[in-house]
Structure formats: C-alpha cells, structure tokens
C-alpha cells in the first residue's frame, strides 16, 4: 500500500535516537510490561495506524447497542441455556459456568459493572491496494467481557503518538481520548452504588501476571480521582484468606470488598480444584460487584458471537435500527454442531480454506486454527460431538500498512526495525453500569486501542509476543 510522502519521510528518517526517545518516554510514563519480574518498555509502532474516520465513527456508534445486547441477552435464562447446553458435553468450562449461572442468575439486588473491550479488524477485499483503508468495513473479531487488558498501557501509547504527530505530522487527527477517565468514572459509579465507605476494589491476578504497570495506572486513577482503595492478590491467595460474612459480604485482610475484578480465571485450567469452583460460586452469590458477573462470563464464550446472528435473536433485545447497526459490524459466523447445518458450514472451509478460520471458545492468543490445519481438524472432528466446541468465522483481511516497530527487552537498549507491512486489530473499551433495579446509569465507549502485527503472521497477540502496541490516526 502506498501512503503519503510525509509519513514515508518520518518512517525513513527514524534512527536509534528515535528508538531511545520512545523507550525513555514509555519508561517515564510506566508504559511497561514485566518480564520475569524485570520492567521493560512495551513494544510499539513508530507511527499510529491510519483508519477511515467515517468507518471508525460508524463502529463507535454500534457499541452502545452492542453493550445493551450483551446485558439484556445475559438475563434471558432460556437463551443462555439453549446456547451453552449443547456444548457442555465437550466443554467443561462452559458446563461449570452454566451451572453457576443457573444458581445465581435470578439473585436480586445485584449491581452490574461491565468493563469490555470489543476487538475488530477493518476487512478489505483488496488489503494491499491503495484504496484498502476506505474500501471495506470494520468487523468484529471477538468481544472481551473478562480481563480486558491494556487499558492503562494503551493510554501511554496514545500519548506518545499524539506528541509524535504534533511534531512531525501536525495535520493528522487522532481520536485522542483519555481512555482511562471514562472507565474509572464507571468504576466509581458502581462503587458508589455499593455504598460502603472504605470498601475496596480487588484485582484477582495470575501468579505470573506481566501487566502490573497497566493495572497500576487504574489503581492510581481510582485513588487520585475518587479515593477508592485497591488491593491485588492471586485467586489462590483469596481462596485461603477471603471470609464471607453472615450477611453475604466478602472481607480479606481486614477490608470489605466492593468490587471483584477478575484478571485471571477465564480458562478451564485456571480452576485446578473443586475449591476453585466453590469459591467462584461464593463470589457470585456475595453482595459485591463482579467484573465480570457470571452472566457476562457466560456471554463471553464464543458461542454467543455466533448465536447473536441467528434469526430474530438481536431483534428480541434491540430495536430494528439498533439490530441493523450491530449486525453491520459482525463478521459471518457459523455453528459446527454435528448434523446437516454444521456439515454445510464445514464445507465452506473445505471450499475456500483461506476464507475462513476455526475458532475454539477460548481466551488468549494463539488458539485459532488456519488453512490446512483447519481442514485437518475438521476432518478429524467429522461426526464428533467435539465439533460443537468450535465456530467457523469469516477470515478478515486487514489493510497492509507499512510501519516500523520499536522493541525493548529487559535491561536492553531499544531496537528499531526496518519498515515492513503490518495489519492492525482495533479494540474499543466500553463501560456499562446498571443499578440493582436494572436501571442503566452508564453505557459508553471509553476509547480505542490498536494492536499491530506483521502482515505475514496469522496470530498477533501481545501476550504471545507477536503483536505490538499501537494507536489510531485518521486517514481521511
């Protein structure tokens, strides 16, 4: 793809000094990850990725009805049960989550706080063409309703790129927004509804969590702006130390918990013992706010992304106009349950292996199955109930954008790559708050995040070391 001469000038003139400046800026701001306990600056693109402003605004407009769809559908016991139950024979995580859902979904006086990141790609029929940024539309990759990371870190990348643009490309516009501000404002709204002075916001983290700096940005903002105290511990630590009172309030280390924020426990292997599951049920039944609650954790399963596209589903919860808007940002998805309908969907992949991707209902990068491996997996699963645990999704072809990457290792000087073609995934952070009577108090987009990878790679997760952090600049 050919972009403009000014952008090429910045790409071509960058040198080691530029990489050093990026690394020092990020270290100063706390734009870091932990690698074996040692801080390192996050890996970032040299320049933000251009996107169509009109396409971006259309996508933003679809988020509030999408959040509404998530909330209303999660309260529909028949819909949730009908969607998950056929998969429980082969998906143990789905089975146990559904068990807790059935026990708790009708519990009254529960405050809802949703902290989401909905991920999209701009799908272009000609991703290498000069018109690729304007010829196509954003389509959903997945909804992340649990442990939606990089909120604080993404803010630092926007700040970095905003300064670079002001200095080098002053005519370029960003949707520059302090993403953290509306998210923390939503947290404060839910904390206020809980209305127990001195109660805390508890991060439940993985033992080897590398996102300490990302979370610290939230911790600082909650304290500085609203006086909310935060604590952080592993799920296993909480299992041993958490105490549930007779009035169904949780306490740990002398503090009452107002909000549980799960930054772990999204995969089956996180629940190592029956006590892990018993604790999850106790948390759900407590009066504390859960992020996510069990309703949203169930909807987070990939089956629902496909189920929402079934005839009449969206229309049950949204107006005709809202349904049309949300559908416009969904990719094609098909269920693969054994039977005629699933066989017909599987045949799409055999007819065009490069046009589809096989997705299991799992979180984290590196789980999707592509091309020949996809065909081998579908052949292996033919007539097997295990096929129920996958969905087939339209493969999205993002524009190939030339860029360079600044990479940093622990205790190492930053390195600047050569220019290469990249593709980007755009995430939109959203916050949703409803009181115990289901009155919606907050439903808004907090701001954008971009993660970028080499165009030659199928997978691009930050956690698996392929993708790098990025931000948005308008191409129009």
């Amino acid at each position: 793809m050919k972009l403009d001469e000014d952008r090429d000038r910045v790409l071509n003139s960058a040198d080691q000094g530029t990489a050093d400046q990026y690394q020092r800026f990020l270290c100063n701001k706390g734009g870091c990850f932990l690698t074996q306990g040692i801080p390192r600056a996050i890996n970032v693109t040299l320049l933000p990725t251009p996107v169509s402003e009109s396409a971006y605004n259309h996508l933003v407009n679809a988020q509030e009805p999408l959040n509404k769809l998530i909330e209303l559908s999660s309260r529909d016991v028949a819909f949730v049960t009908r969607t998950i139950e056929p998969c429980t024979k082969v998906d143990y995580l789905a089975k146990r989550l559904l068990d807790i859902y059935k026990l708790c979904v009708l519990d009254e006086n529960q405050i809802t706080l949703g902290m989401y990141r909905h991920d999209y790609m701009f799908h272009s029929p000609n991703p290498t063409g000069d018109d690729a940024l304007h010829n196509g539309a954003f389509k959903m990759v997945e909804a992340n309703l649990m442990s939606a990371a990089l909120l604080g870190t993404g803010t630092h990348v926007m700040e970095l790129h905003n300064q670079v643009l002001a200095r080098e490309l002053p005519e370029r516009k960003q949707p520059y927004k302090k993403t953290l501000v509306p998210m923390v404002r939503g947290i404060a709204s839910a904390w206020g509804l809980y209305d127990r002075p001195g109660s805390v916001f508890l991060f439940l983290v993985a033992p080897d969590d590398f996102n300490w700096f990302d979370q610290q940005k939230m911790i600082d903002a909650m304290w500085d702006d609203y006086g909310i105290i935060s604590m952080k511990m592993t799920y296993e630590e909480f299992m041993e130390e958490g105490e549930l009172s007779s009035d169904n309030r949780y306490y740990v280390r002398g503090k009452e918990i107002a909000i549980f924020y799960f930054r772990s426990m999204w995969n089956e292997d996180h629940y190592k013992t029956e006590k892990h599951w018993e604790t999850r049920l106790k948390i759900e039944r407590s009066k504390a706010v859960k992020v996510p609650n069990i309703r949203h954790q169930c909807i987070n399963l990939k089956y629902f992304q496909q189920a929402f596209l079934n005839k009449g589903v969206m229309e049950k919860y949204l107006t005709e106009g809202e349904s049309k808007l949300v559908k416009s940002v969904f990719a094609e998805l098909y269920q693969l349950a054994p039977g005629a309908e699933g066989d017909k969907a599987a045949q799409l992949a055999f007819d065009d292996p490069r046009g589809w991707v096989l997705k299991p209902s799992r979180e984290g990068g590196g789980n999707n199955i592509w091309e020949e491996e996809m065909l081998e997996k579908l052949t292996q699963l033919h007539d097997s109930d295990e096929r129920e645990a996958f969905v087939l999704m339209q493969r999205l072809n993002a524009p190939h954008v030339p860029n360079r990457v600044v990479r940093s290792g622990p205790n190492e000087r930053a390195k600047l790559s050569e220019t290469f073609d990249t593709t980007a995934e755009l995430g939109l952070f959203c916050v949703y708050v409803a009181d115990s009577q289901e009155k919606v108090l907050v439903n808004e987009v907090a701001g954008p995040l971009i993660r970028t990878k080499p165009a030659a790679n199928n997978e691009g997760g930050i956690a698996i070391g392929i993708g790098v952090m990025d931000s948005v600049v308008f191409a129009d």
Side-chain angles (χ1 to χ4, degrees):
M1 175 192 298
K2 182 175 175 55
L3 295 173
D4 57 85
E5 292 181 0
D6 287 337
R7 184 181 171 95
D8 287 343
R9 171 183 55 78
V10 178
L11 291 175
N12 294 333
S13 64
D15 56 17
Q16 182 61 51
T18 310
D20 291 340
Q21 290 175 14
Y22 278 44
Q23 185 180 49
R24 291 164 189 167
F25 179 98
L26 293 166
C27 287
N28 177 57
K29 291 285 187 176
C32 300
F33 290 146
L34 288 177
T35 302
Q36 298 180 337
I38 300 173
R40 66 165 178 85
I42 56 177
N43 300 327
V44 294
T45 56
L46 186 70
L47 289 174
T49 288
V51 302
S52 161
E53 184 173 7
S54 58
Y56 176 87
N57 290 335
H58 176 83
L59 183 64
V60 167
N61 290 337
Q63 302 313 295
E64 288 187 19
L66 173 60
N67 299 336
K68 175 183 174 183
L69 171 66
I70 289 165
E71 172 64 11
L72 295 182
S73 66
S74 76
R75 294 184 179 275
D76 187 336
V77 179
F79 170 67
V80 172
T81 303
R82 183 172 66 247
T83 302
I84 296 180
E85 211 153 51
C87 312
T88 56
K89 294 177 289 185
V90 294
D91 188 336
Y92 186 70
L93 176 67
K95 177 184 184 304
R96 295 305 299 261
L97 292 177
L98 182 60
D99 289 343
I100 297 173
Y101 175 89
K102 289 178 177 178
L103 290 171
C104 300
V105 66
L106 299 179
D107 287 357
E108 297 180 347
N109 300 317
Q110 292 284 340
I111 300 161
T112 298
L113 171 59
M115 297 167 61
Y116 315 141
R117 194 190 70 229
H118 305 313
D119 292 338
Y120 301 87
M121 273 191 175
F122 189 84
H123 179 55
S124 175
N126 182 20
T128 60
D130 290 344
D131 65 342
L133 295 175
H134 303 282
N135 182 16
F138 280 107
K139 299 293 181 182
M140 178 178 277
V141 176
E142 62 182 2
N144 295 283
L145 314 184
M146 184 172 189
S147 190
L150 306 176
L151 174 66
T153 310
T155 298
H156 298 313
V157 180
M158 281 196 289
E159 291 169 342
L160 169 64
H161 282 160
N162 192 251
Q163 290 191 21
V164 172
L165 290 175
R167 185 171 61 246
E168 301 287 351
L169 301 167
E171 295 181 358
R172 307 298 193 274
K173 285 198 306 178
Q174 276 192 303
Y176 187 59
K177 193 170 183 179
K178 294 285 188 180
T179 304
L180 199 62
V181 173
M183 190 67 82
V184 171
R185 187 168 60 238
I187 292 170
S189 175
W191 182 77
L193 291 172
Y194 189 74
D195 197 21
R196 302 275 287 190
S199 57
V200 303
F201 183 101
L202 178 63
F203 290 78
L204 290 173
V205 300
D208 56 351
D209 190 15
F210 63 86
N211 262 323
W212 187 93
F213 290 92
D214 184 50
Q215 296 155 15
Q216 190 62 39
K217 187 77 173 176
M218 291 178 60
I219 289 169
D220 292 344
M222 285 189 283
W223 173 250
D224 291 345
D225 296 343
Y226 299 98
I228 300 172
I229 301 168
S230 298
M231 296 176 64
K232 195 183 291 191
M233 54 198 315
T234 67
Y235 193 80
E236 285 74 18
E237 288 172 333
F238 178 77
M239 283 167 51
E240 297 303 318
E241 300 181 46
E243 297 178 357
L244 190 61
S245 68
S246 59
D247 63 346
N248 232 18
R249 298 184 188 276
Y250 250 123
Y251 294 81
V252 69
R253 299 176 185 173
K255 296 291 185 181
E256 180 179 349
I257 301 166
I259 301 173
F260 285 94
Y261 181 37
F262 287 91
R263 291 301 305 264
S264 61
M265 314 312 293
W266 60 81
N267 269 344
E268 180 183 326
D269 59 3
H270 295 165
Y271 298 87
K272 296 179 173 62
T273 67
E274 190 61 27
K275 188 175 180 180
H276 286 74
W277 287 109
E278 292 170 359
T279 301
R280 181 66 186 89
L281 175 59
K282 288 179 181 178
I283 290 172
E284 192 62 34
R285 286 201 143 159
S286 74
K287 291 181 179 178
V289 182
K290 281 75 63 173
V291 186
N293 59 38
I294 194 63
R295 294 183 289 105
H296 291 176
Q297 192 171 356
C298 284
I299 295 289
N300 196 54
L301 296 168
K302 300 297 181 288
Y303 312 121
F304 286 91
Q305 195 174 335
Q306 185 278 319
F308 285 145
L309 291 175
N310 290 339
K311 186 176 180 180
V313 170
M314 285 194 195
E315 290 77 7
K316 183 176 180 180
Y317 312 107
L318 304 177
T319 67
E320 182 179 352
E322 289 171 335
S323 298
K324 184 177 180 181
L325 181 57
V326 173
K327 284 181 179 179
S328 73
V329 301
F330 269 53
E332 290 184 63
L333 287 131
Y334 297 95
Q335 61 88 13
L336 290 165
E341 188 175 341
D343 289 345
K344 184 178 179 181
Q347 189 58 46
L348 293 171
F350 284 98
D351 292 343
D352 181 16
R354 294 185 59 81
W356 302 91
V357 56
L358 191 62
K359 295 174 69 83
S361 188
R362 286 292 176 268
E363 292 302 307
N367 293 313
N368 296 332
I369 306 174
W370 310 82
E371 299 179 20
E372 290 303 317
E373 289 185 16
M374 173 181 65
L375 301 186
E376 290 174 11
K377 187 68 173 179
L378 287 171
T379 301
Q380 174 191 335
L381 296 178
H382 183 64
D383 289 336
S384 167
D385 287 340
E386 191 183 344
R387 201 170 73 176
E388 193 103 46
F390 295 84
V391 295
L392 188 72
M393 191 180 92
Q394 170 191 11
R395 185 170 182 169
L396 304 178
N397 297 310
H400 290 206
V401 176
N403 213 331
R404 301 177 75 177
V405 167
V406 178
R407 290 189 178 273
S408 300
N411 299 321
E412 292 180 358
R413 193 176 185 185
K415 297 179 176 64
L416 178 64
S417 77
E418 297 298 320
T419 301
F420 61 93
D421 280 350
T422 66
T423 56
E425 188 171 306
L426 170 68
L428 288 176
F429 286 103
C430 299
V431 58
Y432 185 99
V433 181
D435 67 14
S436 58
Q437 305 305 308
E438 301 179 25
K439 179 182 178 181
V440 180
L441 304 179
V442 180
N443 181 6
E444 67 173 306
V445 177
L449 164 83
I450 282 193
R451 291 159 300 155
T452 290
K453 65 175 181 62
N457 287 66
N458 287 327
E459 297 285 356
I462 300 291
I464 59 177
I466 299 172
V468 303
M469 301 287 290
D470 194 352
S471 69
V472 175
V473 63
F474 289 136
D476 300 320

